[in-house]
Amino acid sequence: MADEAQAQLPSDNLVAVRDLTREYKSSGGLFSTVRSMRAVNEVSLDVPRGKVTGVVGESGCGKSTLARLVLRLIAPTAGRVMFNDTDLASLAPAQLRKLRRSMQMVFQDPYSAIDPRYTIRRALLEPFEVQGVALGKGEQEDRLLALISKVGLSPRMTESYPHQLSGGQKQRVGIARALALSPSFLVLDEPTASLDVSIQAQIIGLLEALKQELGLTYLFISHDLSLVRYFCDRIVVMYLGRVVEILPGARAEACHHYARTLMDSHFVPDPRHRKAVTPLVGEIPSPFNLPPGCAFAERCPAASPLCRRERPLLSEHATGHLVACHHPA
Amino acid sequence: MALLSVTDLSVFIGRLKPLDGISFDIGKGEIVGMVGESGSGKSLTAMSVMGLLPLIGGKMTSGSIRFDGIDLATLPEPHYRALRGRRIALISQNPMTSLDPIIRIGAQIDQVSILHLGLSDAAARARSIDIMQQLRIPEAATVHGNYPHQLSGGMKQRVVIAMALAADPELMIADEPTTALDVTIQAQIIQIVVDLVRERGLSLLLITHDMGVVAQACDKVVVLYAGRVAETNGIDAIFGEPQHPYTRELIRCIPRHDQLRGSLTGIPGAVPSVMDYPSGCRFHPRCADALDICAGAIPALEQKAAGFAACHAAINAAGKVSAHG
């Protein structure tokens, strides 16, 4: 997968992922043997500075595992993550801890990670505590108010508890927490999946404004295809732990047959353009028992004997457009 | 004449009033979408029609629900039981709430036509397998003998749909039938259900929060906001000429790939809670078109163009509320 590394000069990329793999083993019971599966399998991708890189795929494709690997919240089985040209694996724990200020995560459910007994004030000051950033009393207050207003919350809310906030307000607190230590890179893991549409649009609008204002770089994990098309500069499509296609722009046509079906399966919100969806035949193979060739071959209309024998590598189809398919559309 | 006609339906749960004057019709062979954000009363409306309010301590305090001329609000439970599952079927969001994990798939589907249509075991089995094939369940005869845990989420939801179809209902209510599923599976299932409903001339109430699904599948739309109907209108009017500002804003919240960056802003404020509904029009604190009257007086659901809208501004300035694109 060297071709993709050369596609862009390293300095253009804030984050570069190379051959990243994470293996999980099933605990073999009394009568079964231990089996292993790769939730993320030899994934290589670049996250260009100042851009939004989207990762899409269905449940079990490995997108959330990838998000956690990129931030090294979990350790990879193999492969590297480079942040600002520094290999995260090469860092001593203290150095990695310090670097974490620059890379933060926004979760789908921000409050599953925060103590429900914490006030908003305490939740927002916690990152400074954890990172050992000593703040004077006045400075604390300044930072707090700056964060609160940055995400569009009212200063009156600092003494509120999570249960007093709506879903949208909670996610704003989640974003404020991620921004506390002035990061340059945010991983957004389905940040609006549990919100109502009117609130989802607010949060996406806020994330766009913050990106402009603070010059942030995003890795945006989502299963919402229309949202990804709207929000992202590049789109990475995953299937069963592997990257099958990287689209260079939000409007680029997918060439991989799975990516194409996936991108076509969202319903266009326009009654004047009704269309029949092409159903995907068959079921996703078990990740514990992958076929030798292309993992999508059994469901693919264009599959040939070659596809069942030999796994297609991710290669450049057009400038910046990478596809892992023997017979791209 | 409408197959289902809900008029001024209000429901109390304890001292809270989560449904307040809901009215809408579903014609024979019509697919009606019901949209609204969480807490707007979509599922509660479905439960009211199914006569399931007592299960959650709900009580219908006013209005009527008429199905094919029968007043469901006053229908005694034994008669309701003969109707529920037979002439009106419900497909719920999570298939596992409808499936018994320790009974084979086939037995669960067969049971419906044995109970409601009086079929023999063999006839019921043949019928179940036929319906499963129509729902494009591969190797239907094999799946018939499987247990729920042996199937994927998408297959389980198809089984639930097969159960709903088994008694040949006239009205199906699908409450977020694909929300828990992956997008590709969701697309398939919506397509199969819509095709079958059209083919058999059934009526469908499709409850969803996905405006894309509504646009692709429905003839008519009921837009709920905070326990009231904001607007009911034909599908083209909802997307092209919405009468209620909430409908208009809701449509503007859907991200489109051809949309300009930074143009997605959402609706300011938050969806109100049933504990704390605003006075007057419940949307007025978030509404860009709000007039002085909106905070004080509850707007009635009135005829506007081809549909109905509950909005002072729309009624006052007829024609001025239109889609901004």
Side-chain angles (χ1 to χ4, degrees):
Chain A
M1 262 153 253
D3 32 12
E4 160 193 358
Q6 287 154 8
Q8 268 162 321
L9 291 171
S11 56
D12 290 343
N13 299 318
L14 181 60
V15 178
V17 169
R18 292 292 172 269
D19 299 320
L20 202 59
T21 299
R22 171 72 196 205
E23 198 169 83
Y24 288 101
K25 287 186 167 58
S26 76
S27 55
L30 190 54
F31 301 109
S32 54
T33 50
V34 179
R35 300 186 302 167
S36 68
M37 60 88 85
R38 291 175 161 193
V40 168
N41 203 350
E42 297 171 17
V43 165
S44 296
L45 58 93
D46 295 330
V47 181
R49 226 176 272 276
K51 302 266 189 222
V52 185
T53 301
V55 179
V56 293
E58 300 183 273
S59 44
C61 74
K63 56 191 192 297
S64 286
T65 306
L66 176 67
R68 280 155 181 77
L69 285 170
V70 166
L71 292 181
R72 215 182 163 82
L73 299 177
I74 49 177
T77 311
R80 287 179 302 153
V81 177
M82 313 284 290
F83 182 82
N84 250 336
D85 300 330
T86 308
D87 187 344
L88 294 186
S90 71
L91 297 175
Q95 288 172 303
L96 180 63
R97 197 179 178 81
K98 191 144 187 236
L99 193 67
R100 288 202 185 285
R101 293 179 193 181
S102 310
M103 31 191 250
Q104 291 288 323
M105 184 144 171
V106 176
F107 298 91
Q108 177 177 338
D109 177 10
Y111 269 92
S112 57
I114 299 174
D115 195 318
R117 292 167 302 177
Y118 279 18
T119 58
I120 304 311
R121 167 189 299 276
R122 198 163 163 206
L124 291 183
L125 290 175
E126 196 187 22
F128 297 101
E129 246 171 75
V130 169
Q131 278 285 338
V133 180
L135 296 176
K137 201 84 196 139
E139 209 178 349
Q140 247 186 32
E141 215 49 38
D142 291 349
R143 293 280 182 105
L144 193 64
L145 291 178
L147 278 175
I148 286 258
S149 72
K150 203 169 263 169
V151 297
L153 290 173
S154 150
R156 285 176 295 132
M157 280 175 187
T158 49
E159 307 311 320
S160 305
Y161 289 90
H163 72 268
Q164 296 172 301
L165 304 185
S166 68
Q169 288 169 335
K170 278 185 215 169
Q171 190 54 289
R172 285 174 194 269
V173 174
I175 294 170
R177 248 170 84 94
L179 291 176
L181 298 159
S182 311
S184 50
F185 176 53
L186 289 188
V187 173
L188 312 166
D189 189 6
E190 306 252 17
T192 61
S194 52
L195 301 175
D196 278 316
V197 276
S198 73
I199 310 300
Q200 160 174 299
Q202 281 178 11
I203 297 293
I204 293 296
L206 173 67
L207 288 169
E208 282 188 306
L210 289 170
K211 176 177 162 287
Q212 288 303 323
E213 187 190 330
L214 306 171
L216 299 171
T217 300
Y218 292 154
L219 185 68
F220 181 67
I221 315 285
S222 182
H223 68 274
D224 184 332
L225 302 167
S226 27
L227 190 57
V228 166
R229 286 270 203 203
Y230 166 76
F231 190 51
C232 300
D233 299 298
R234 312 165 76 226
I235 301 172
V236 177
V237 184
M238 290 184 72
Y239 185 70
L240 275 166
R242 287 188 190 272
V243 172
V244 295
E245 182 156 9
I246 298 180
L247 298 169
R251 283 169 211 187
E253 279 278 340
C255 300
H256 189 283
H257 297 274
Y258 171 72
R260 185 164 268 234
T261 313
L262 183 70
M263 299 310 264
D264 278 349
S265 60
H266 86 276
F267 291 97
V268 184
D270 186 345
R272 290 166 308 172
H273 295 104
R274 289 200 173 173
K275 52 155 198 180
V277 293
T278 338
L280 208 54
V281 289
E283 302 253 337
I284 297 184
S286 161
F288 287 103
N289 188 19
L290 287 180
C294 171
F296 187 62
E298 286 314 312
R299 312 174 73 188
C300 183
S304 69
L306 172 68
C307 304
R308 297 194 172 82
R309 211 169 49 235
E310 215 175 279
R311 191 170 58 76
L313 300 177
L314 200 62
S315 59
E316 193 146 22
H317 179 76
T319 311
H321 188 167
L322 303 162
V323 186
C325 179
H326 290 305
H327 314 289
Chain B
M1 201 194 76
L3 180 65
L4 180 79
S5 193
V6 175
T7 314
D8 196 30
L9 166 69
S10 293
V11 167
F12 272 87
I13 299 178
R15 283 184 302 135
L16 301 175
K17 194 181 185 185
L19 288 188
D20 188 0
I22 304 288
S23 298
F24 66 95
D25 286 344
I26 301 177
K28 276 205 170 68
E30 221 171 25
I31 301 185
V32 176
M34 181 167 269
V35 299
E37 300 181 90
S38 44
S40 61
K42 306 184 295 283
S43 295
L44 208 54
T45 304
M47 291 191 85
S48 306
V49 175
M50 294 301 291
L52 297 174
L53 286 178
L55 289 184
I56 51 161
K59 202 169 158 7
M60 195 174 147
T61 54
S62 78
S64 72
I65 304 174
R66 298 188 75 82
F67 172 76
D68 195 22
I70 308 164
D71 186 358
L72 298 184
T74 56
L75 194 67
E77 179 56 27
H79 291 94
Y80 225 125
R81 217 168 285 158
L83 206 73
R84 194 190 289 134
R86 164 67 191 88
R87 300 185 66 192
I88 309 177
L90 178 72
I91 301 167
S92 62
Q93 182 177 141
N94 179 356
M96 281 321 287
T97 57
S98 311
L99 294 174
D100 189 322
I102 57 164
I103 298 178
R104 289 179 200 273
I105 296 294
Q108 302 193 48
I109 310 175
D110 294 356
Q111 190 186 306
V112 177
S113 41
I114 294 171
L115 189 74
H116 286 298
L117 305 180
L119 296 190
S120 68
D121 288 6
R125 181 174 194 274
R127 182 179 169 81
S128 301
I129 292 175
D130 178 46
I131 294 172
M132 289 164 79
Q133 280 165 345
Q134 288 181 46
L135 288 166
R136 294 184 222 146
I137 297 177
E139 296 173 61
T142 311
V143 174
H144 190 272
N146 284 354
Y147 287 97
H149 76 266
Q150 292 173 287
L151 304 185
S152 67
M155 280 303 148
K156 272 188 262 198
Q157 192 58 297
R158 286 178 209 219
V159 168
V160 170
I161 296 167
M163 283 171 69
L165 287 169
D168 231 344
E170 290 143 77
L171 172 66
M172 286 217 295
I173 300 177
D175 188 0
E176 305 264 11
T178 58
T179 307
L181 303 173
D182 272 321
V183 278
T184 56
I185 311 291
Q186 173 177 339
Q188 277 174 39
I189 289 189
I190 292 283
Q191 181 116 22
I192 293 172
V193 168
V194 167
D195 288 351
L196 269 178
V197 162
R198 295 262 187 237
E199 211 171 282
R200 297 173 168 222
L202 307 183
S203 304
L204 174 67
L205 178 64
L206 181 60
I207 297 176
T208 177
H209 63 272
D210 186 334
M211 293 300 275
V213 170
V214 168
Q216 293 293 318
C218 299
D219 304 313
K220 216 171 82 178
V221 184
V222 181
V223 182
L224 296 186
Y225 186 79
R228 290 193 190 135
V229 175
E231 176 170 358
T232 61
N233 220 329
I235 187 72
D236 291 320
I238 285 284
F239 284 87
E241 258 184 290
Q243 298 299 318
H244 197 288
Y246 176 62
T247 314
R248 180 190 73 209
E249 293 304 320
L250 196 60
I251 287 162
R252 292 181 60 188
C253 286
I254 316 166
R256 292 161 196 254
H257 64 92
D258 52 356
Q259 193 176 346
L260 218 60
R261 288 283 169 83
S263 57
L264 199 66
T265 50
I267 307 176
V271 181
S273 142
V274 65
M275 321 264 251
D276 191 20
Y277 278 145
S279 63
C281 171
R282 288 174 181 164
F283 186 59
H284 87 264
R286 307 175 72 190
C287 183
D289 300 358
L291 310 168
D292 290 342
I293 185 178
C294 300
I298 299 169
L301 192 63
E302 289 178 44
Q303 179 120 32
K304 273 287 295 158
F308 290 85
C311 175
H312 294 299
I315 302 299
N316 281 4
K320 276 200 187 153
V321 181
S322 65
H324 293 179

